[in-house]
Short mmCIF file of all heavy atoms in Angstrom, two decimals:
data_model
loop_
_atom_site.label_atom_id
_atom_site.label_comp_id
_atom_site.label_asym_id
_atom_site.label_seq_id
_atom_site.Cartn_x
_atom_site.Cartn_y
_atom_site.Cartn_z
N MET A 2 85.43 89.83 93.24
CA MET A 2 86.79 90.00 93.73
C MET A 2 86.59 90.98 94.88
O MET A 2 85.54 91.73 95.07
CB MET A 2 87.62 90.58 92.75
CG MET A 2 87.24 91.80 92.00
SD MET A 2 88.02 92.19 90.53
CE MET A 2 87.01 91.32 89.33
N ASP A 3 87.56 91.07 95.78
CA ASP A 3 87.53 91.91 96.97
C ASP A 3 88.55 92.90 96.81
O ASP A 3 89.65 92.67 96.48
CB ASP A 3 87.73 91.03 98.28
CG ASP A 3 86.54 90.07 98.52
OD1 ASP A 3 85.44 90.41 98.22
OD2 ASP A 3 86.94 89.05 99.13
N LEU A 4 88.17 94.15 97.16
CA LEU A 4 89.17 95.23 97.26
C LEU A 4 89.49 95.43 98.78
O LEU A 4 88.59 95.63 99.55
CB LEU A 4 88.58 96.54 96.70
CG LEU A 4 89.56 97.66 96.53
CD1 LEU A 4 89.76 98.00 95.08
CD2 LEU A 4 89.14 98.79 97.49
N LYS A 5 90.70 95.37 99.07
CA LYS A 5 91.15 95.44 100.52
C LYS A 5 91.88 96.75 100.79
O LYS A 5 92.75 97.16 99.92
CB LYS A 5 92.09 94.21 100.80
CG LYS A 5 92.64 94.24 102.26
CD LYS A 5 93.37 92.98 102.48
CE LYS A 5 94.65 92.91 101.78
NZ LYS A 5 95.54 91.79 102.17
N VAL A 6 91.44 97.48 101.77
CA VAL A 6 91.98 98.76 102.11
C VAL A 6 92.52 98.59 103.58
O VAL A 6 91.85 98.30 104.49
CB VAL A 6 91.05 99.86 102.12
CG1 VAL A 6 91.71 101.20 102.45
CG2 VAL A 6 90.50 100.04 100.72
N VAL A 7 93.90 98.95 103.81
CA VAL A 7 94.52 98.89 105.09
C VAL A 7 94.87 100.24 105.56
O VAL A 7 95.39 101.04 104.91
CB VAL A 7 95.85 98.09 105.04
CG1 VAL A 7 96.45 97.94 106.41
CG2 VAL A 7 95.62 96.60 104.37
N VAL A 8 94.19 100.57 106.78
CA VAL A 8 94.26 101.88 107.30
C VAL A 8 94.85 101.84 108.78
O VAL A 8 94.59 100.76 109.44
CB VAL A 8 92.98 102.61 107.28
CG1 VAL A 8 92.52 102.84 105.89
CG2 VAL A 8 91.90 101.95 108.12
N ASP A 9 95.45 102.84 109.19
CA ASP A 9 95.72 103.10 110.61
C ASP A 9 94.92 104.29 111.09
O ASP A 9 94.07 104.73 110.35
CB ASP A 9 97.22 103.13 110.97
CG ASP A 9 97.92 104.34 110.33
OD1 ASP A 9 97.29 105.18 109.82
OD2 ASP A 9 99.24 104.28 110.38
N ASP A 10 95.22 104.88 112.24
CA ASP A 10 94.40 105.87 112.72
C ASP A 10 94.19 107.14 111.80
O ASP A 10 93.16 107.69 111.73
CB ASP A 10 94.95 106.46 114.08
CG ASP A 10 94.91 105.42 115.14
OD1 ASP A 10 94.15 104.44 114.97
OD2 ASP A 10 95.71 105.59 116.08
N ASN A 11 95.25 107.57 111.02
CA ASN A 11 95.18 108.74 110.25
C ASN A 11 95.60 108.49 108.82
O ASN A 11 95.67 109.48 108.09
CB ASN A 11 96.02 109.81 110.90
CG ASN A 11 95.52 110.18 112.23
OD1 ASN A 11 94.42 110.39 112.40
ND2 ASN A 11 96.47 110.48 113.11
N ARG A 12 95.96 107.38 108.44
CA ARG A 12 96.51 107.15 107.05
C ARG A 12 95.93 105.93 106.40
O ARG A 12 95.62 104.93 106.99
CB ARG A 12 98.05 106.97 107.16
CG ARG A 12 98.78 108.19 107.63
CD ARG A 12 100.23 108.19 107.37
NE ARG A 12 100.59 107.84 106.02
CZ ARG A 12 100.63 108.64 105.00
NH1 ARG A 12 100.23 109.91 105.14
NH2 ARG A 12 101.10 108.25 103.86
N ILE A 13 95.88 106.02 105.01
CA ILE A 13 95.50 104.94 104.19
C ILE A 13 96.91 104.29 103.85
O ILE A 13 97.70 104.98 103.16
CB ILE A 13 94.70 105.42 103.02
CG1 ILE A 13 93.54 106.10 103.31
CG2 ILE A 13 94.49 104.19 102.00
CD1 ILE A 13 92.76 106.83 102.33
N ASN A 14 97.09 103.14 104.20
CA ASN A 14 98.45 102.49 103.95
C ASN A 14 98.45 101.57 102.71
O ASN A 14 99.62 101.56 102.21
CB ASN A 14 98.83 101.63 105.24
CG ASN A 14 99.07 102.56 106.50
OD1 ASN A 14 99.40 103.70 106.41
ND2 ASN A 14 98.72 102.07 107.63
N ALA A 15 97.54 100.92 102.46
CA ALA A 15 97.56 99.95 101.35
C ALA A 15 96.15 99.68 100.73
O ALA A 15 95.20 99.67 101.41
CB ALA A 15 98.16 98.50 101.83
N ILE A 16 96.12 99.61 99.39
CA ILE A 16 94.92 99.22 98.75
C ILE A 16 95.35 98.13 97.69
O ILE A 16 96.27 98.29 96.88
CB ILE A 16 94.49 100.44 97.87
CG1 ILE A 16 94.15 101.60 98.80
CG2 ILE A 16 93.09 100.13 97.10
CD1 ILE A 16 93.85 102.91 98.14
N SER A 17 94.65 97.00 97.71
CA SER A 17 94.92 95.81 96.91
C SER A 17 93.62 95.06 96.52
O SER A 17 92.62 95.18 97.11
CB SER A 17 95.99 94.92 97.50
OG SER A 17 95.37 94.44 98.64
N LEU A 18 93.72 94.35 95.34
CA LEU A 18 92.65 93.42 95.01
C LEU A 18 92.98 92.05 95.51
O LEU A 18 94.12 91.49 95.37
CB LEU A 18 92.60 93.43 93.49
CG LEU A 18 91.90 94.61 92.77
CD1 LEU A 18 92.02 94.47 91.27
CD2 LEU A 18 90.37 94.57 93.16
N ASP A 19 91.99 91.43 96.12
CA ASP A 19 92.08 90.09 96.58
C ASP A 19 91.09 89.16 95.90
O ASP A 19 90.11 89.76 95.28
CB ASP A 19 91.80 89.92 98.11
CG ASP A 19 92.90 90.43 98.96
OD1 ASP A 19 94.04 90.66 98.43
OD2 ASP A 19 92.70 90.50 100.20
N ASN A 20 91.36 87.99 95.73
CA ASN A 20 90.61 86.92 95.02
C ASN A 20 90.46 87.32 93.54
O ASN A 20 89.36 87.04 93.00
CB ASN A 20 89.21 86.83 95.70
CG ASN A 20 89.18 86.41 97.11
OD1 ASN A 20 90.17 85.71 97.54
ND2 ASN A 20 88.25 86.88 97.87
N LEU A 21 91.44 87.85 93.00
CA LEU A 21 91.37 88.13 91.55
C LEU A 21 91.95 86.86 90.76
O LEU A 21 93.18 86.76 90.78
CB LEU A 21 92.15 89.45 91.19
CG LEU A 21 92.29 89.88 89.77
CD1 LEU A 21 90.90 90.28 89.33
CD2 LEU A 21 93.15 90.99 89.54
N ASP A 22 91.15 86.05 90.32
CA ASP A 22 91.54 84.79 89.68
C ASP A 22 92.06 85.09 88.23
O ASP A 22 91.87 86.27 87.65
CB ASP A 22 90.49 83.73 89.74
CG ASP A 22 89.25 84.21 88.95
OD1 ASP A 22 89.23 85.23 88.42
OD2 ASP A 22 88.30 83.38 88.89
N GLU A 23 92.78 84.20 87.63
CA GLU A 23 93.30 84.36 86.25
C GLU A 23 92.23 84.69 85.28
O GLU A 23 92.45 85.45 84.39
CB GLU A 23 94.04 83.13 85.90
CG GLU A 23 95.33 82.93 86.60
CD GLU A 23 96.03 81.62 86.16
OE1 GLU A 23 95.93 81.25 84.98
OE2 GLU A 23 96.89 81.10 87.07
N THR A 24 91.12 84.09 85.43
CA THR A 24 90.04 84.40 84.31
C THR A 24 89.63 85.86 84.42
O THR A 24 89.47 86.56 83.44
CB THR A 24 88.78 83.51 84.63
OG1 THR A 24 89.29 82.13 84.70
CG2 THR A 24 87.72 83.63 83.55
N ALA A 25 89.36 86.43 85.66
CA ALA A 25 88.99 87.80 85.78
C ALA A 25 90.11 88.66 85.46
O ALA A 25 89.86 89.70 84.76
CB ALA A 25 88.55 88.03 87.25
N ALA A 26 91.40 88.37 85.70
CA ALA A 26 92.49 89.22 85.28
C ALA A 26 92.57 89.25 83.78
O ALA A 26 92.96 90.15 83.20
CB ALA A 26 93.82 88.68 86.01
N THR A 27 92.26 88.06 83.08
CA THR A 27 92.36 88.06 81.67
C THR A 27 91.29 88.74 81.10
O THR A 27 91.37 89.58 80.06
CB THR A 27 92.26 86.60 81.16
OG1 THR A 27 93.41 85.85 81.81
CG2 THR A 27 92.47 86.51 79.57
N MET A 28 90.05 88.71 81.62
CA MET A 28 88.92 89.38 81.03
C MET A 28 88.93 90.92 81.31
O MET A 28 88.32 91.73 80.58
CB MET A 28 87.57 88.75 81.65
CG MET A 28 87.27 87.41 81.13
SD MET A 28 85.72 86.76 81.81
CE MET A 28 84.56 87.99 81.10
N TYR A 29 89.54 91.36 82.38
CA TYR A 29 89.62 92.68 82.82
C TYR A 29 91.15 93.03 82.98
O TYR A 29 91.56 93.29 84.13
CB TYR A 29 88.82 93.00 84.03
CG TYR A 29 87.50 92.65 83.95
CD1 TYR A 29 86.93 91.45 84.62
CD2 TYR A 29 86.57 93.33 83.23
CE1 TYR A 29 85.61 90.99 84.53
CE2 TYR A 29 85.10 92.85 83.12
CZ TYR A 29 84.78 91.74 83.72
OH TYR A 29 83.43 91.33 83.59
N PRO A 30 91.81 93.29 81.90
CA PRO A 30 93.31 93.45 82.11
C PRO A 30 93.64 94.89 82.63
O PRO A 30 94.72 95.09 83.08
CB PRO A 30 93.82 93.32 80.59
CG PRO A 30 92.62 93.55 79.76
CD PRO A 30 91.50 93.19 80.59
N LEU A 31 92.69 95.86 82.54
CA LEU A 31 92.87 97.16 82.99
C LEU A 31 92.67 97.33 84.47
O LEU A 31 92.93 98.40 85.15
CB LEU A 31 92.14 98.20 82.24
CG LEU A 31 92.38 98.19 80.80
CD1 LEU A 31 91.31 99.25 80.11
CD2 LEU A 31 93.81 98.63 80.47
N MET A 32 92.13 96.32 85.09
CA MET A 32 91.82 96.37 86.58
C MET A 32 93.08 96.74 87.42
O MET A 32 93.02 97.71 88.27
CB MET A 32 91.15 95.02 87.01
CG MET A 32 90.56 95.21 88.42
SD MET A 32 89.04 96.20 88.49
CE MET A 32 87.84 95.25 87.63
N GLN A 33 94.05 95.97 87.37
CA GLN A 33 95.18 96.17 88.22
C GLN A 33 95.99 97.46 87.87
O GLN A 33 96.28 98.20 88.81
CB GLN A 33 96.14 94.97 88.12
CG GLN A 33 97.28 94.90 89.26
CD GLN A 33 96.65 94.92 90.65
OE1 GLN A 33 95.85 94.23 91.00
NE2 GLN A 33 97.17 95.80 91.44
N PRO A 34 96.22 97.80 86.66
CA PRO A 34 96.92 99.07 86.35
C PRO A 34 96.09 100.29 86.73
O PRO A 34 96.64 101.31 87.27
CB PRO A 34 97.03 99.05 84.80
CG PRO A 34 96.98 97.69 84.46
CD PRO A 34 96.14 97.10 85.38
N ALA A 35 94.72 100.25 86.62
CA ALA A 35 93.88 101.37 86.98
C ALA A 35 93.92 101.43 88.55
O ALA A 35 94.04 102.55 89.05
CB ALA A 35 92.41 101.10 86.57
N LEU A 36 93.87 100.31 89.21
CA LEU A 36 94.05 100.35 90.71
C LEU A 36 95.32 101.01 91.13
O LEU A 36 95.48 101.73 92.12
CB LEU A 36 93.82 99.01 91.32
CG LEU A 36 93.87 99.01 92.84
CD1 LEU A 36 92.74 99.63 93.44
CD2 LEU A 36 93.84 97.50 93.36
N ASP A 37 96.41 100.62 90.48
CA ASP A 37 97.74 101.12 90.81
C ASP A 37 97.83 102.66 90.70
O ASP A 37 98.41 103.36 91.51
CB ASP A 37 98.88 100.49 89.98
CG ASP A 37 99.12 98.96 90.32
OD1 ASP A 37 98.59 98.54 91.36
OD2 ASP A 37 99.61 98.35 89.37
N LYS A 38 97.24 103.12 89.60
CA LYS A 38 97.23 104.63 89.42
C LYS A 38 96.36 105.33 90.41
O LYS A 38 96.71 106.43 91.04
CB LYS A 38 96.74 104.99 87.96
CG LYS A 38 97.83 104.66 86.83
CD LYS A 38 97.20 105.04 85.60
CE LYS A 38 98.22 104.54 84.46
NZ LYS A 38 97.63 104.78 83.08
#
């Protein structure tokens, strides 16, 4: 899976997981909530 970070000159604007398929989301249910926190 890919972790995507969007930045501009001085700020971190967005952090998200890409290519997280259903199998990986089922096997690692804490991945998205941990990333959100």
Side-chain angles (χ1 to χ4, degrees):
M2 59 195 88
D3 293 328
L4 186 118
K5 181 172 68 171
V6 178
V7 180
V8 297
D9 61 13
D10 293 344
N11 295 320
R12 293 195 51 80
I13 302 168
N14 293 326
I16 301 171
S17 63
L18 281 173
D19 281 352
N20 303 331
L21 181 65
D22 59 0
E23 289 182 26
T24 307
T27 304
M28 289 183 64
Y29 304 104
L31 297 178
M32 188 68 73
Q33 190 61 46
L36 180 66
D37 292 341
K38 289 180 182 178

